[in-house]
């Protein structure tokens, strides 16, 4: 079991603490939180061990789980890496791309591993279809959330859209060619609703919309590729694959057949992959433990986290 400590005991930090505590792959050593009053409440309610300095916690563990506000990710990660500790770092990886690049360099120098908390990679609906997503040429994403003051310290691109940016970069095997975007601040000092169009060198186009001032929650992505349409509902944890193949000579009464202007007939059929229920946050933490123990590549690497932040920054710079 790897000894783990959590930096930050806010809303998400408490979830990480609970899951690390119940995991068979980690021994939860304790946590640090800059807010002493909050730390005291967490100790009283859950009984976790509190460390009164970041240094003391880092010294006591093998893995540092960084769930602090984004602005402090870089300093926390740097301290942990320089002491030879593995780091799990919540998304976005850091505040700037330069900070992310420095962290990647430090990890290589000190021979430790790092993973970024892009949790939608572990969403069972995405896991159910990711092997069927082959060379998508158009992608449409909608990530809409009801207003929550938590998270409004950063633009909606870093708060919400970055999830979809990471998913898209994980399935489109091509460099970004061009980005156009717009964003509007409605209730915050930073944009609350944003739209981005990402064009890739291979011709794929991704259209992303993110909002934190919607009346209902939605997290849907649709992938269009040759002879297939794939839909992923990250919120409802459902997925659907609609495929086309050459129509049979003698179609059955219930076969769905389409004929184009050239007279070519295609049969439509549905493939609903099995969605295995899981706890995505627990899975991302435990697969990181596996990567450390087996000396394999983490599922969401620091490179992945850096590239998602790079694209997010390019989008923000358009506003």
């Amino acid at each position: 079991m790897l000894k783990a400590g959590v930096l930050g005991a806010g809303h998400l930090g408490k979830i990480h603490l609970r899951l690390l505590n119940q995991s068979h792959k980690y021994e939860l050593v304790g946590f640090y939180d800059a807010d002493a009053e909050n730390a005291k409440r967490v100790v009283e309610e859950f009984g976790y061990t509190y460390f009164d300095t970041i240094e003391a916690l880092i010294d006591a563990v093998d893995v540092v789980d960084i769930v602090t506000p984004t602005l402090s990710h870089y300093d926390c990660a740097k301290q942990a890496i320089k002491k030879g500790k593995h780091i799990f770092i919540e998304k976005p990886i850091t505040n700037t791309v330069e900070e992310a690049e420095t962290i990647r360099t430090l990890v290589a120098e000190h021979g430790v591993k790092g993973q970024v908390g892009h949790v939608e990679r572990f969403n069972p609906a995405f896991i159910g279809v990711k092997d069927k997503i082959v060379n998508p040429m158009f992608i449409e994403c909608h990530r809409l959330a009801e207003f929550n003051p938590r998270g409004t310290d950063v633009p909606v691109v870093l708060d919400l859209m970055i999830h979809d940016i990471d998913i898209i970069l994980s399935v489109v095997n091509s460099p970004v060619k061009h980005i156009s975007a717009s964003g509007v601040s409605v209730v915050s000092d930073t944009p609350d609703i944003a739209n981005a169009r990402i064009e890739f060198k291979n011709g794929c186009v991704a259209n992303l919309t993110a909002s934190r001032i919607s009346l209902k929650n939605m997290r849907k992505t649709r992938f269009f590729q040759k002879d297939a349409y794939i839909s992923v509902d990250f919120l409802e944890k459902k997925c659907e694959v609609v495929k086309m193949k050459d129509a049979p000579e003698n179609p059955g009464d219930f076969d769905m057949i389409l004929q184009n202007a050239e007279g070519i007939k295609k049969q439509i059929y549905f493939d609903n992959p099995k969605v295995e229920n899981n706890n995505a946050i627990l899975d991302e933490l435990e697969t990181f433990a596996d990567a450390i123990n087996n000396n394999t590549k983490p599922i969401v690497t620091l490179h992945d986290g850096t590239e998602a932040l790079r694209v997010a920054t390019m989008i923000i710079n358009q506003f």
Side-chain angles (χ1 to χ4, degrees), residues 164-175:
D164 299 311
I165 293 168
D166 174 67
I167 290 289
I168 289 167
L169 294 179
S170 78
V171 298
V172 179
N173 189 22
S174 176

Side-chain angles (χ1 to χ4, degrees), residues 127-191:
I127 290 169
V129 296
K130 70 177 181 183
D131 292 341
K132 300 176 191 298
I133 302 170
V134 181
N135 197 28
M137 294 311 288
F138 183 70
I139 304 169
E140 183 94 55
C141 306
H142 286 92
R143 186 168 293 261
L144 316 177
E146 295 173 0
F147 185 73
N148 180 346
R150 190 171 55 82
T152 54
D153 54 328
V154 295
V156 71
V157 175
L158 292 179
D159 187 24
L160 298 178
M161 191 184 281
I162 198 163
H163 284 294
D164 299 311
I165 293 168
D166 174 67
I167 290 289
I168 289 167
L169 294 179
S170 78
V171 298
V172 179
N173 189 22
S174 176
V176 172
K177 183 175 87 174
H178 180 72
I179 289 175
S180 52
S182 59
V184 180
S185 303
V186 181
V187 293
S188 314
D189 293 331
T190 58

Side-chain angles (χ1 to χ4, degrees), residues 113 287-288 290-298:
K113 290 193 182 291
T287 58
F288 185 47
D290 294 340
I292 294 167
N293 289 326
N294 303 326
N295 195 25
T296 52
K297 192 167 104 172

Side-chain angles (χ1 to χ4, degrees), residues 162-295:
I162 198 163
H163 284 294
D164 299 311
I165 293 168
D166 174 67
I167 290 289
I168 289 167
L169 294 179
S170 78
V171 298
V172 179
N173 189 22
S174 176
V176 172
K177 183 175 87 174
H178 180 72
I179 289 175
S180 52
S182 59
V184 180
S185 303
V186 181
V187 293
S188 314
D189 293 331
T190 58
D192 296 302
I193 183 164
N195 176 264
R197 177 185 167 93
I198 305 172
E199 297 172 35
F200 294 88
K201 284 190 177 171
N202 69 351
C204 176
V205 172
N207 191 33
L208 301 85
T209 300
S211 167
R212 56 186 177 205
I213 49 165
S214 296
L215 297 177
K216 63 174 185 176
N217 293 322
M218 178 194 284
R219 303 204 310 252
K220 285 184 180 176
T221 299
R222 295 182 272 284
F223 303 88
F224 298 85
Q225 60 196 44
K226 179 70 175 165
D227 292 335
Y229 156 81
I230 298 159
S231 168
V232 181
D233 189 327
F234 290 94
L235 189 62
E236 298 293 334
K237 298 180 173 51
K238 293 176 183 172
C239 55
E240 184 177 58
V241 180
V242 182
K243 287 189 172 178
M244 282 194 277
K245 60 184 178 182
D246 292 334
E249 285 286 322
N250 301 301
D253 291 342
F254 298 104
D255 288 348
M256 292 178 68
I257 308 295
L258 280 181
Q259 181 173 329
N260 67 11
E262 288 76 37
I264 297 168
K265 292 181 179 178
K266 293 275 188 181
Q267 179 184 352
I268 297 174
Y269 65 103
F270 295 87
D271 173 11
N272 290 328
K274 193 166 184 226
V275 176
E276 304 279 355
N277 207 13
N278 72 339
N279 185 312
I281 297 176
L282 181 61
D283 280 4
E284 67 177 353
L285 291 167
E286 292 200 331
T287 58
F288 185 47
D290 294 340
I292 294 167
N293 289 326
N294 303 326
N295 195 25

